[in-house]
Amino acid sequence: MTNSCLKCLKYTMCVANFLCFICGVAVMGFGIFMMVNFKLAALTPSLASFNVANLLLISGIIITCVSFLGFLGALKENRCLLLTFFLMLFFLLLVELTAACLLLMHEHQISAWVEKDLNEGLAEAKGKKTDEFLSEWDLVQETFDCCGVHNVSDWGDNVPKSCCISQCSTYRSKGCLDRLKNWFEENFLSTGISVIVLCVIEVLGMCFAMTLFCHISTSGLGYKL
C-alpha cells in the first residue's frame, strides 16, 4: 500500500512538473519572440533592463529549470536533484513572501517612487521617435485608456498616437498613474488569491519532494546518479 502511494506521488510529481516545463518553454519562447520582433522602450528608467520581453524570458527560464529538476529528480528518484528542487522552491517562496510583505508595509513609499520613475521615463520617451518602434508607453496607454502620467499635458508637443481618440481629434483624458492605481486596487483580491495559490503549489511541491527524498533514504537506495 505504501509503495503504491509513493509511486502515485512520484508520477504525480512527474506529470505536474512536465506540464510546468511545457508552460515554462512556452513563456520563454514568447519572450524571445517579443525580443526579436518588438523593440520595447522601457516604461521607467529603473525597469530599463526588465521590460516585458525580458521578464517573460527570465520567468520562463526559472520555471523551466525548476520543473526540469523536479521531473528528473522524481523520475530517477535522485536525492540530489530532489533536494535541489526543494531548496529552489523554498528560495522562491521566501522571495515571494518577502516581496508581498514589503509591498504591504511600504505601499505609500512605493507609490511615490513609481510616480517619480514614471515621470523620468516619460521625460526620456519624449525625445524618441515613437513611430519607429512599439513603446511600452504605447502599450500601457492603449491598454488602460490613458495618456501621460497625470494627463496629456505631460507629453508637451510630442504627443504619441497612442494618446489619440478618433483620429487624434481628442486625447485620452485620464493619466496612466491613476489608471494603474485603480487597476491594482480592482485586481488586488484576485492577485492575492493567485499569490496564495502559487505558494500552496510550491509548498505541495516541497512536501512531495521531501517525502520522496525521505523514502529513498529509508529504503536504502542512497544517492542515485
Side-chain angles (χ1 to χ4, degrees), residues 11-71:
Y11 291 114
T12 299
M13 271 194 70
C14 289
V15 172
N17 280 288
F18 179 75
L19 293 175
C20 290
F21 179 82
I22 297 299
C23 292
V25 171
V27 171
M28 185 170 57
F30 187 62
I32 294 173
F33 171 80
M34 290 189 68
M35 290 178 68
V36 172
N37 291 277
F38 300 102
K39 296 179 180 179
L40 288 169
L43 191 66
T44 66
S46 298
L47 300 178
S49 300
F50 296 97
N51 55 35
V52 175
N54 288 343
L55 286 175
L56 287 173
L57 181 61
I58 293 170
S59 300
I61 291 173
I62 293 173
I63 295 171
T64 302
C65 292
V66 174
S67 57
F68 179 76
L69 284 174
F71 172 79

Side-chain angles (χ1 to χ4, degrees), residues 18-205:
F18 179 75
L19 293 175
C20 290
F21 179 82
I22 297 299
C23 292
V25 171
V27 171
M28 185 170 57
F30 187 62
I32 294 173
F33 171 80
M34 290 189 68
M35 290 178 68
V36 172
N37 291 277
F38 300 102
K39 296 179 180 179
L40 288 169
L43 191 66
T44 66
S46 298
L47 300 178
S49 300
F50 296 97
N51 55 35
V52 175
N54 288 343
L55 286 175
L56 287 173
L57 181 61
I58 293 170
S59 300
I61 291 173
I62 293 173
I63 295 171
T64 302
C65 292
V66 174
S67 57
F68 179 76
L69 284 174
F71 172 79
L72 197 60
L75 185 66
K76 297 293 186 181
E77 296 185 5
N78 188 305
R79 288 199 309 166
C80 181
L81 292 177
L82 287 172
L83 183 59
T84 304
F85 175 71
F86 174 87
L87 292 174
M88 290 185 73
L89 283 181
F90 181 70
F91 175 74
L92 289 174
L93 185 64
L94 283 181
V95 171
E96 290 162 9
L97 292 176
T98 302
C101 291
L102 289 175
L103 286 173
L104 291 174
M105 292 172 59
H106 303 283
E107 181 181 356
H108 296 294
Q109 294 91 324
I110 292 173
S111 178
W113 172 79
V114 168
E115 182 177 0
K116 176 178 175 292
D117 219 32
L118 283 173
N119 284 319
E120 292 178 358
L122 188 140
E124 289 184 6
K126 282 182 183 180
K128 296 179 180 179
K129 296 180 180 179
T130 54
D131 293 339
E132 294 181 357
F133 55 84
L134 181 61
S135 168
E136 283 190 1
W137 274 102
D138 295 326
L139 288 176
V140 170
Q141 290 177 155
E142 291 176 357
T143 302
F144 292 94
D145 189 25
C146 60
C147 183
V149 179
H150 301 99
N151 50 54
V152 67
S153 63
D154 294 332
W155 285 102
D157 298 329
N158 191 24
V159 181
K161 292 181 179 179
S162 56
C163 280
C164 298
I165 302 177
S166 302
Q167 297 180 348
C168 278
S169 59
T170 56
Y171 295 116
R172 305 180 196 274
S173 58
K174 296 289 185 178
C176 292
L177 181 62
D178 290 335
R179 289 289 194 185
L180 289 171
K181 284 182 179 179
N182 292 336
W183 184 85
F184 279 112
E185 290 174 359
E186 291 171 359
N187 293 275
F188 182 79
L189 180 61
S190 58
T191 302
I193 292 173
S194 300
V195 172
I196 292 172
V197 170
L198 180 61
C199 290
V200 170
I201 292 173
E202 289 174 346
V203 170
L204 287 175

